[in-house]
Structure formats: C-alpha cells, structure tokens
Amino acid sequence: MDKFTTIHSSAVPMPIEDVDTDQIIPARFLKATTRDGFGDNLFRDWRFHQDDSPKSGFVLNNPIYSGQILVAGKNFGCGSSREHAAWAIHDYGFKVVVSSFFADIFKGNALNNGILPVVVNEEFLNEIFQAIEANPNTAFNVDLEKQTFTILETGKSVSFEIDPYKKMCLINGYDDIDYLISIKDQISAFEQQQLAF
Amino acid sequence: MGKTLFDKIWDAHVVTAVDGGMEVLYIDRHFIHEVTSPQAFSGLKKRGIGVSRIDKTIATADHNVPTKNQHLPIQEELSRYQVQKLVENCEEFGVELYGLGHPYQGIVHVIGPELGITKPGMTIVCGDSHTSTHGAFGCIAFGIGTSQVEQVLATQCLLQKKPKKMRINIEGELQAGVLSKDIILYIISKLSASGGTGYFVEYAGSAIRSLSMEARMTICNMSIEMGARGGMIAPDEKTFEYVKGKEYAPKGKDFDKAVAHWKTLFSDDDAVFDQEFTFPAEDIEPMLTYGTNPGMGIKISQTIPSESGKSFQKSLNYMGFESGESMLGKPINYVFIGSCTNSRIEDLRIVADYVKGKKKADHVNVMVVPGSKQVEKQAIKEGLDKIFAAAGFDFREPGCSACLGMNEDKVPKGEYCVSTSNRNFEGRQGPGARTILASPLMAAATAIEGKIIDFRSQISQN
Ligand code: SF4
C-alpha cells in the first residue's frame, strides 16, 4: 500500500447523495481477476453513453475540474462490499474522498487501499462545493498527521477523525494482514479454547 | 448491566484489542465466491502463505454464472476465466468448492443455511454485503471487502471496530398478503438507506418471532440496505428445528449440547441498545419501491411522495415516475423472482401457490431463478417447475442472475422490472434498467396481470 502523508490538490465536485457502489463500478466490470485497470470504468454509466462516447454533462468529463480529491454528497459508497469500487477510485487517481457520511464497508475498503475518507459536516461540505463552484481551481490541503482539511483560499480548516490504528497504517503504508500475522500465536491460543461447532 | 445478543457473540470472539479501539475478531466461517476472491488469493501467493483454516472456508460460484445450460462451458470468456480461476485457487489452496455442476452449488447465502453450515452463535463473513442474511440464525454475519477476504484467509481473523447496537421491534399481527419482504422494505422506508449506518441491528417482537426461518433470512438479508453492517434474530425452537438434521449440523448428543448453548443467545432484559424502534405490524402493507435506493419505498395504497433536492428528482427522472402518482396500474414487462433475498423453496412455493392454474400476461417476461441446486431439486420434486412452465414463467438454474446483471440475465434499458431482489440502484439489473423491489407475491401478481395491482382482494377471496 502507498504511504499517505499530505495532499495538496484541487477537487472534483459530485454533489449527489447516496452514490452507490453499482454507480462507482457497475457489476459487469467485476470480471477481472486482478486489481488493476478499474479506473477506466469508474462511474461508467454516468460517464459514458452505451456506445462508449463520453457524456459531456458528467463532471469527470469536464476539463475544468481535476485533482486528487473527490467531494461527494452524503452516504457515499452505499450498497455492495465490492472493493473494486475503492480500486476504481484509486486507479483513477483519487487519494481522498470527502463527504458528510460514508457507508461502512466502503470506508473500510478505502482505508485498506490507501484512500483517505474524510468526514466533514453538511455545512462545511456545502462550503467546499461553493468554493469549487466559485473557482474550480480552488486548492485544498489534507494533512493526515494533523488530521486537518483546509480550504486554502479562505484558510478555513476543519479537523477530521480517523481511527489511530488506521492512521498509523496509512502513514506507514502497512496493512492489517502484516499486523494479524504478527499475532498468529495469540490467534492459535484463542482457537484452542474455542467452542467446537 | 445485561448484554445484548450481539455483545454475547462478539465478546466471545475477541482475540485481543488493539490500541485505539479496534479489536481482532475470530471468524468461525468464511464463504468465498468467484468475484471477490481472486485478488485475495493472489495476495496470499505474493506473501507466500496458505489458507489458515481450510476447514472453516467454503467456496461456491454464484455471481457470475449463467442460469441456462450450466453443464456446458461458460460462453462468455471473462466469466469463464473468473469461474475457472476460483476452481484453480480452491484446488491449489485446498478449499472445498461447491462449484458449477456440484449438487450443493448455489447463491452463497442460500447454501450456507440449507447445508447447516450456518449455526447460531457464529461469526460469519463473506466478500458480499448480503452476508447479513445468516444473522437470521442468531449469528454475527457481515460483508467484507477483498482485502479483508485476504485477511481472513490468511489468519481467520479480522480487525474490526465494534459497531453500535440497534433493536427494531415489530409487534402485532401481520395483515393478509404481507410477507417478510414487506416488513424489511417498510423498515428501510422509515429509517432511510443510511439510517442503520454504524449499527448492527437485532430484529425482535412478536411479528418477527412468528416468521419462518426463511422469512427471517429475507429480513436480515436487507439490513445492509439501510446501511447496517448486519442484522440478527435471536435463535429459538424454529431455528433449532431448521438446523437439525442438516448436512453439517451437529448430530445426536452434540446437537443437544449445541442447543443448550444456543439457548443462551438472546438479549438480556436489561440490555441497553444505542437506538431502539418499534413499529406495529398492522401498519405494514405490501410494499413497492419507486426510486433508486431501497429506502424509497411506499405501501401499495400510497402515492409517490414529493421531496426537494437534486438527488430525489434525479432518481424519479431515472425511474420515469412523478410525485403524487400511484404505482397501481403501471404496466410492467419484466418480472424477476430470485436472489439471496427471495429464492428459497418457501418463496417459490408462495409464487407457485398464487400462479397455479393462471397464465402470465402476454407481454411480460418472467424469470424464476432458484437460489441453489437443492432448491431447484426440491421445486422439481414438488412439481413447482410444471406450474411455472404452465404459467409461462422461465424456470432457470441457480445463481445471482438478474439481481446484479453480471451475467446475461439483464433487464433492457428503460424497462421496468418488478423484482424480488434487494437493490434498485440505477443500472443494477442492466444499464438503464428500472427496478421496482417487491415481495414474491407482488411479483407473481404482476406477472399474471402485466401491471401492478393490489392483489389483496384476490387472496382474501381464497
Ligand atoms: S443474489 Fe444478488 S445480492 Fe445476493 S449475493 Fe447474489 S448478487 Fe449479491
């Protein structure tokens, strides 16, 4: 996993609520057996017509918006457990997703793939959308160490929460398996006293 | 202070706690399937490690399999390769596979319970969000991502933060024509598609207790549709009776010992929940969804509500509906009966019972997809296949099918499909497809009439 420290970038706005994993990556693109290449089909049916030509109204097809940060409406990532959704977002080039609310499984999947989900309140989310609307080049700073998200133009900054263990993993590029393998003896000891099913 | 059912099972599975509040949870059963496992196996290979407990790992092929001619090689190349990859990985790592052609093959959440693999008090995970289904037996069961599939394969453990607890009580008697699918659609319509996020739900109350195991599975199945990680129901005599005699159920004295333990699995009277809701069973009617998330549901007697906001309007535009409209009388060209929500033998019996001696409307395409080979076999044994054939329904072979539109079972662009599955997201059943979630009874009635009707007048005559 990549190491995550700070991100300094403009952002792509998607003020839609309940963006589900079937929109992020439709099921028909889940046939791959590797983790690569999902970015091409990120938001496939919102992004492309059925003949594969781009839909001009969709934000990812609008050249004025770019950056490593995706800002979305509440309940982002609801629906399926497919980690392909996180892979697609990562593969496309996003490192941070900002919303007022994330679905649980998506949030876990994002963290396991070096993507930082940043939860801000509704009010601040709207401020971010407004800032991008006023100036698509608005830059933001995400500092994982300090746990702050800042709109650079106005200097307005909020702090966000993250589990300390997950923060340590992101900063060092560790994953959970490294840790679990390191306590294998403890797991075996636990297994011994388990009820037999 | 007493413990909740959830606490009792969770606490018994914590190996150790990690700084900051995460815990290492021991997993009793791990189901895997072809779509979310290949990258996890690649991860194991890269690390040079094997599967920690093959005796606790079970594989099947369900998401990406055809539902016709399963005895022939899969036509579509990528699907064939993905299913083949599962076969190879299971062989290489020694995992038991109920793949295509196996008499136990089927949708992962259907086969676990019917084989007696799913038992009260267990922790169960699978790389599929509807793993919550198994909670009907009084288990902690939830969906995980592929990185976590790899964790469990490697160590039989998961790092988790303990969720908050919610209890939802349904008290009283259900009206005629109301099935468990209506109960859960009703609950989600009240709590919204995100109302359960951060929680694990226990369903309780007299109406829940009155349900069969299969009906309970339908409820727990859709817990994820309100954002909850899982749902559970305390085990009781019905649960023990269901498990008894199943292939992997404990036998003889072991069974009695197991039951003695299972009887301790309930929420204590003084247990405290972070949130609790109670709804009267009498208030529930046959339900329908009108929008593009499962929280957008109404009773059959209601009209489509109006809400401000871009997302709501976007959703109605996609569905081609308007605020204030009734769904009654809407012509429907597609009906799908299947998925891990409603593809068990009881669901097929309900449908067959309704359609017996009737014929579908000419313009409707009706697919009935059993949840497993065993369900298919039982349906044939009971002659349900003949009832379906006589009604003009297409009775197919087991798989996820049009629930997620990964194989060729898709609904065409712009068409409405009344579906017994669990998700009405945009494009879920195929690009541009418009899904209306409903119970098997509503689906059967729609197939016969060719439009949405209030079938309750018909069943009360019977
Ligand atoms: S039937 Fe649908 S919801 Fe159930 S496991 Fe298959 S794809 Fe998932």
Side-chain angles (χ1 to χ4, degrees):
Chain A
M1 208 167 73
D2 310 338
K3 291 184 186 181
F4 191 112
T5 44
T6 59
I7 299 277
H8 182 99
S9 169
S10 53
V12 176
M14 193 175 284
I16 302 168
E17 294 173 4
D18 301 313
V19 173
D20 61 76
T21 48
D22 278 76
Q23 307 318 314
I24 299 172
I25 183 96
R28 59 187 192 282
F29 300 109
L30 306 186
K31 296 180 183 181
T33 51
T34 65
R35 291 177 189 234
D36 313 315
F38 288 101
D40 291 347
N41 295 316
L42 175 66
F43 295 114
R44 182 74 204 193
D45 294 337
W46 285 352
R47 203 166 135 203
F48 298 101
H49 293 285
Q50 266 179 334
D51 64 3
D52 293 340
S53 62
K55 291 185 177 174
S56 58
F58 187 61
V59 66
L60 294 190
N61 295 326
N62 187 340
I64 67 168
Y65 299 111
S66 64
Q68 295 178 298
I69 304 170
L70 176 66
V71 189
K74 75 161 188 265
N75 200 23
F76 185 83
C78 60
S80 125
S81 62
R82 60 187 71 160
E83 196 161 315
H84 312 66
W87 299 336
I89 287 171
H90 187 264
D91 192 48
Y92 185 86
F94 291 118
K95 294 259 172 9
V96 177
V97 185
V98 183
S99 178
S100 55
F101 198 92
F102 288 95
D104 278 337
I105 307 183
F106 174 81
K107 198 172 172 184
N109 286 342
L111 288 165
N112 283 337
N113 286 280
I115 301 167
L116 177 65
V118 173
V119 182
V120 298
N121 65 33
E122 291 273 331
E123 206 181 316
F124 192 71
L125 188 69
N126 282 329
E127 270 180 53
I128 300 172
F129 283 133
Q130 280 160 15
I132 303 172
E133 196 174 297
N135 173 15
N137 295 320
T138 301
F140 302 90
N141 182 277
V142 188
D143 188 328
L144 176 57
E145 187 62 59
K146 295 206 190 89
Q147 296 180 219
T148 54
F149 183 93
T150 311
I151 307 177
L152 287 172
E153 236 161 61
T154 59
K156 182 139 189 210
S157 186
V158 289
S159 59
F160 58 86
E161 286 185 25
I162 180 168
D163 179 86
Y165 165 81
K166 278 291 169 194
K167 177 177 174 179
M168 183 278 292
C169 286
L170 276 182
I171 289 174
N172 295 301
Y174 292 163
D175 66 24
D176 293 349
I177 302 186
D178 299 331
Y179 168 73
L180 290 173
I181 289 176
S182 77
I183 61 160
K184 239 180 154 175
D185 290 346
Q186 224 175 323
I187 296 172
S188 307
F190 180 87
E191 275 178 335
Q192 303 304 320
Q193 51 89 35
Q194 266 276 78
L195 287 171
F197 275 110
Chain B
M1 193 176 72
K3 278 185 162 192
T4 65
L5 167 62
F6 179 85
D7 290 326
K8 287 180 183 175
I9 303 174
W10 179 279
D11 295 350
H13 287 83
V14 174
V15 176
T16 183
V18 184
D19 286 350
M22 304 269 277
E23 287 171 304
V24 176
L25 194 68
Y26 191 79
I27 302 302
D28 293 320
R29 282 298 178 280
H30 184 197
F31 293 104
I32 58 172
H33 63 84
E34 75 277 24
V35 177
T36 57
S37 70
Q39 295 86 352
F41 280 114
S42 306
L44 294 185
K45 282 183 216 174
K46 226 162 99 188
R47 290 171 205 265
I49 54 179
V51 173
S52 157
R53 293 294 299 259
I54 49 173
D55 57 328
K56 299 192 176 202
T57 314
I58 301 99
T60 190
D62 55 359
H63 281 65
N64 194 9
V65 300
T67 55
K68 282 265 182 213
N69 294 321
Q70 288 185 344
H71 60 289
L72 298 178
I74 301 176
Q75 295 273 317
E76 208 260 336
E77 195 187 330
L78 284 174
S79 305
R80 187 172 63 242
Y81 183 74
Q82 193 174 52
V83 173
Q84 185 53 34
K85 198 82 203 157
L86 179 72
V87 176
E88 286 167 16
N89 283 327
C90 287
E91 271 171 13
E92 184 177 341
F93 287 87
V95 172
E96 175 111 61
L97 169 65
Y98 302 140
L100 277 188
H102 195 286
Y104 293 163
Q105 180 266 338
I107 304 174
V108 60
H109 312 309
V110 175
I111 68 169
E114 79 184 2
L115 289 169
I117 297 170
T118 302
K119 288 180 278 278
M122 283 185 157
T123 49
I124 299 177
V125 296
C126 172
D128 185 281
S129 58
H130 293 98
T131 307
S132 59
T133 313
H134 306 262
F137 290 79
C139 307
I140 294 183
F142 55 92
I144 55 177
T146 298
S147 296
Q148 294 173 309
V149 170
E150 189 180 337
Q151 281 175 45
V152 180
L153 288 174
T155 66
Q156 205 58 33
C157 286
L158 262 187
L159 265 166
Q160 286 290 303
K161 199 175 175 130
K162 193 172 184 177
K164 289 182 283 186
K165 284 146 291 177
M166 180 189 289
R167 182 158 62 188
I168 299 175
N169 307 294
I170 309 290
E171 300 286 0
E173 221 172 295
L174 292 168
Q175 293 184 37
V178 173
L179 303 184
S180 68
K181 179 65 161 285
D182 300 306
I183 301 179
I184 189 64
L185 284 173
Y186 172 92
I187 293 173
I188 305 166
S189 77
K190 295 281 181 194
L191 267 57
S192 91
S194 58
T197 306
Y199 290 90
F200 219 93
V201 179
E202 179 179 344
Y203 302 97
S206 55
I208 300 290
R209 294 252 76 86
S210 75
L211 299 173
S212 69
M213 285 314 294
E214 280 150 326
R216 292 178 190 184
M217 283 187 246
T218 303
I219 296 205
C220 291
N221 174 274
M222 289 189 71
S223 305
I224 182 78
E225 299 332 324
M226 53 180 157
R229 271 319 274 287
M232 64 202 310
I233 295 172
D236 58 13
E237 290 302 329
K238 274 187 200 164
T239 319
F240 313 148
E241 203 42 50
Y242 183 98
V243 175
K244 195 174 183 173
K246 294 269 186 305
E247 173 95 32
Y248 293 105
K251 305 272 150 52
K253 273 208 187 95
D254 287 342
F255 184 77
D256 300 337
K257 252 191 7 225
V259 169
H261 169 58
W262 297 344
K263 283 187 172 165
T264 66
L265 301 173
F266 55 86
S267 289
D268 297 329
D269 286 342
D270 54 345
V272 178
F273 289 83
D274 299 289
Q275 272 215 64
E276 184 147 15
F277 297 92
T278 300
F279 301 105
E282 292 76 15
D283 191 39
I284 306 172
E285 288 180 25
M287 299 287 294
L288 292 162
T289 61
Y290 60 87
T292 54
N293 76 56
M296 301 172 86
I298 49 173
K299 300 176 193 173
I300 182 117
S301 66
Q302 289 178 318
T303 54
I304 296 172
S306 120
E307 252 180 55
S308 59
K310 253 192 190 162
S311 302
F312 185 81
Q313 208 41 57
K314 180 176 183 296
S315 184
L316 286 199
N317 289 347
Y318 180 85
M319 291 301 291
F321 290 148
E322 277 170 39
S323 294
E325 272 191 304
S326 162
M327 309 266 292
L328 288 171
K330 292 268 176 208
I332 303 291
N333 291 339
Y334 288 82
V335 170
F336 173 62
I337 296 164
S339 90
C340 56
T341 316
N342 286 121
S343 65
R344 298 180 185 82
I345 189 67
E346 184 177 284
D347 301 308
L348 301 194
R349 285 183 192 136
I350 289 170
V351 173
D353 196 42
Y354 182 88
V355 306
K356 195 170 184 175
K358 299 190 181 91
K359 247 193 116 36
K360 73 171 182 71
D362 286 343
H363 62 275
V364 194
N365 281 285
V366 188
M367 251 198 267
V368 183
V369 183
S372 71
K373 272 289 170 204
Q374 297 210 87
V375 170
E376 182 190 359
K377 199 172 139 196
Q378 184 63 27
I380 292 170
K381 197 172 145 200
E382 296 178 19
L384 308 188
D385 59 327
K386 300 213 173 63
I387 296 175
F388 296 143
F393 291 12
D394 185 10
F395 184 58
R396 303 172 81 105
E397 292 173 89
C400 294
S401 181
C403 171
L404 89 164
M406 212 175 153
N407 70 358
E408 47 288 317
D409 306 347
K410 290 186 180 64
V411 174
K413 187 173 177 186
E415 293 286 355
Y416 292 108
C417 177
V418 169
S419 175
T420 67
S421 57
N422 43 48
R423 286 191 174 136
N424 52 348
F425 297 152
E426 281 185 34
R428 172 80 178 179
Q429 298 192 289
R434 293 159 158 174
T435 303
I436 297 167
L437 301 177
S439 78
L441 205 44
M442 181 81 86
T446 307
I448 301 300
E449 300 294 328
K451 59 182 187 208
I452 293 174
I453 60 151
D454 190 344
F455 57 84
R456 286 178 295 177
S457 52
Q458 299 183 352
I459 48 172
S460 56
Q461 283 160 16
N462 288 346

